[in-house]
């Protein structure tokens, strides 16, 4: 009973949304997972979206599995054994493809929502 569920194409898939933003954060030099999580929460709090730790790291792990990014362990400070994981792009072409796919989904969802707002608004 592992039938793959077909997408209805309704609104944006959360994982794709997270992947696109994580790639963008890495491109902009913000490669720490906790930093990306915090930025997502701050940026989208006004819209009621607050991804949790597990969702963000699941998306990061999928990007690693897909060969889009790679992790690297670094010491937090030279005088400590504590390490942090930072992420780097491994395949820019795949990264751009994911971002384009997300953008296409965002545009379709935006149009759908605009139509719904128009239809449900008394004029």
């Amino acid at each position: 009973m592992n039938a793959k569920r077909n997408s209805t194409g309704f609104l944006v898939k959360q994982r794709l949304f997270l992947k696109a933003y994580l790639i963008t954060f890495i491109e902009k030099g913000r490669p720490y997972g906790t930093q990306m999580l915090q930025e997502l929460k701050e940026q989208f709090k006004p819209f009621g979206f607050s991804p949790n730790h597990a969702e963000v790291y699941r998306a990061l792990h999928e990007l690693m599995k897909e060969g889009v990014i790679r992790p690297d362990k670094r010491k937090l400070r030279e005088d400590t054994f504590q390490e942090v994981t930072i992420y780097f792009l491994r395949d820019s072409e795949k990264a751009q493809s994911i971002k384009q796919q997300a953008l296409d989904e965002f545009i379709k969802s935006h149009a759908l929502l605009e139509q719904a707002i128009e239809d449900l608004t008394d004029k």
Side-chain angles (χ1 to χ4, degrees):
M1 282 254 152
N2 285 343
K4 187 175 178 181
R5 187 173 158 232
N6 290 329
S7 172
T8 62
F10 188 77
L11 299 181
V12 176
K13 297 164 193 74
Q14 181 173 319
R15 188 73 47 82
L16 178 60
F17 178 88
L18 289 173
K19 285 179 179 182
Y21 268 90
L22 296 172
I23 289 167
T24 301
F25 288 152
I26 293 168
E27 288 172 337
K28 291 181 176 180
R30 296 190 293 275
Y32 298 95
T34 53
Q35 181 183 28
M36 291 186 264
L37 173 61
Q38 192 58 37
E39 286 192 40
L40 283 165
K41 285 183 174 187
E42 288 173 18
Q43 188 169 351
F44 294 103
K45 184 179 182 176
F47 307 106
F49 177 60
S50 180
N52 66 40
H53 180 271
E55 292 166 333
V56 169
Y57 280 92
R58 206 170 294 131
L60 284 168
H61 290 154
E62 282 185 15
L63 288 169
M64 286 187 290
K65 194 174 184 178
E66 294 166 1
V68 177
I69 63 172
R70 66 177 174 79
D72 190 17
K73 298 263 187 200
R74 300 269 172 98
K75 282 188 178 182
L76 190 58
R77 291 189 327 261
E78 198 58 38
D79 62 340
T80 183
F81 291 108
Q82 186 178 5
E83 290 183 329
V84 293
T85 301
I86 58 176
Y87 299 91
F88 297 94
L89 285 183
R90 173 177 272 166
D91 189 327
S92 295
E93 193 172 299
K94 284 182 183 177
Q96 292 312 308
S97 176
I98 289 171
K99 286 176 62 175
Q100 185 60 53
Q101 180 186 1
L103 182 59
D104 293 344
E105 290 290 327
F106 298 164
I107 290 168
K108 283 194 303 187
S109 296
H110 184 260
L112 175 70
L113 292 170
E114 279 187 333
Q115 183 64 52
I117 290 167
E118 182 181 320
D119 292 343
L120 300 173
T121 303
D122 289 334
K123 292 186 179 189

